[in-house]
Amino acid sequence: MSGSNPPAGRRAPFATDWGMRIFGILIIAYLAYASTQLDLGLGRFINGLGEGGRFIARLFPPNFERWELLLEGLLESIQIAVLATVGGIILSLPLGLMAARNIAPWWVSGPTRAFIAVCRSLHYVIVAIIFVKALGFGALAGIAALIIASIGFVAKLFAEAVEEISMKQVEAVRSTGASGMAVLLYAVLPQVASRFVGFGLYQLDSNLRNSTLVGVVGAGGIGGTLFAAFKRFDYDFVSAILIAIIALILLAELVSGRIRAAMR
């Protein structure tokens, strides 16, 4: 019997990984340090629970007396989301094809992917603030901001979907002497059409949610009405607005789910 030691030159099973242990200790130490720097304490959390309870109590019962103002804001948010989604999808289709490295040369895909990355790098609220400064208050700034956000999401996923297609169909269509546009129409797009529609539906859901937030910075929609109600401490109307927003998102999710199911 040779004992429990492994043969020379072989690593012992379940050997202690001191590197990972030290890394874990450093992570725990940093979390403790960050907690002290950010004034995170149990007493403050407990006080916050009491304040939160009083705030929630002021939200009920919701006040729907100003339903005209509520409906106007919701309709504007829907219009912003739909227009931004359509505009973003129209722009994302050619950008996604140009960013796909398997069908576009590097000198086209590289700059296009960099532009898409720039669109994704800034939060849509920051972009909305920039457009509010450039275009003024209103729905136009919100639409422009959400178009940028839509390009950053849809174009990236569409480019990745194109890169995953089977090149056999592309080569077969090219062998017939078809033009580049014909290759795209008959070999590339049919393979990714259903996924592209799914990306568009998801982005519509996202833009419906985001359109309520860009209104807080003056880019139109129900968000402006919500922010104004908060500033007036009109919390029962705030509750009505939040309920309406939740109902809108749930309805949009139901409709998009039916559309996805019909396309399968």
Side-chain angles (χ1 to χ4, degrees), residues 2-259:
S2 59
S4 59
N5 293 329
R10 293 182 60 184
R11 184 178 179 183
F14 308 108
T16 302
D17 191 343
W18 289 105
M20 290 302 298
R21 289 192 176 188
I22 293 173
F23 180 73
I25 292 172
L26 291 176
I27 290 294
I28 294 173
Y30 177 76
L31 291 176
Y33 168 76
S35 299
T36 59
Q37 295 297 311
L38 297 176
D39 191 23
L40 302 179
L42 182 60
R44 185 176 179 184
F45 178 74
I46 294 174
N47 292 333
L49 290 178
E51 293 294 332
R54 286 187 287 272
F55 171 72
I56 292 175
R58 298 180 63 182
L59 290 175
F60 296 96
N63 181 9
F64 289 95
E65 292 180 358
R66 284 168 285 178
W67 61 270
E68 298 94 342
L69 182 61
L70 178 60
L71 182 60
E72 180 182 354
L74 283 176
L75 289 177
E76 187 174 29
S77 290
I78 294 173
Q79 292 166 354
I80 290 173
V82 172
L83 290 174
T85 302
V86 172
I89 288 175
I90 291 174
L91 294 175
S92 295
L93 179 58
L95 288 174
L97 293 172
M98 293 168 61
R101 288 168 289 197
N102 58 337
I103 62 172
W106 65 267
W107 49 270
V108 173
S109 63
T112 305
R113 296 178 76 91
F115 172 74
I116 295 173
V118 170
C119 293
R120 296 176 60 246
S121 61
L122 295 177
H123 196 273
Y124 57 88
V125 174
I126 298 176
V127 178
I129 294 173
I130 295 173
F131 278 113
V132 165
K133 292 295 184 181
L135 304 175
F137 293 98
L140 180 59
I143 293 172
L146 293 182
I147 285 177
I148 297 297
S150 300
I151 291 173
F153 176 80
V154 178
K156 178 180 184 299
L157 292 183
F158 185 53
E160 293 177 353
V162 172
E163 289 179 348
E164 296 173 359
I165 65 173
S166 172
M167 294 302 294
K168 293 181 179 179
Q169 298 183 32
V170 176
E171 293 170 359
V173 175
R174 283 177 177 170
S175 65
T176 63
S179 63
M181 183 59 67
V183 172
L184 292 177
L185 291 176
Y186 297 107
V188 176
L189 292 181
Q191 298 188 61
V192 295
S194 60
R195 297 183 65 181
F196 186 67
V197 173
F199 298 152
L201 290 174
Y202 179 84
Q203 189 60 37
L204 178 60
D205 288 344
S206 179
N207 283 340
L208 281 173
R209 295 189 298 269
N210 298 339
S211 64
T212 64
L213 188 55
V214 296
V216 174
V217 298
I222 192 64
T225 306
L226 178 63
F227 185 61
F230 266 115
K231 291 175 64 176
R232 296 193 306 266
F233 304 103
D234 196 359
Y235 294 127
D236 54 351
F237 188 45
V238 168
S239 178
I241 295 173
L242 294 178
I243 292 173
I245 292 174
I246 293 173
L248 175 63
I249 299 303
L250 291 177
L251 179 61
E253 181 66 23
L254 178 62
V255 173
S256 62
R258 293 291 182 87
I259 295 176

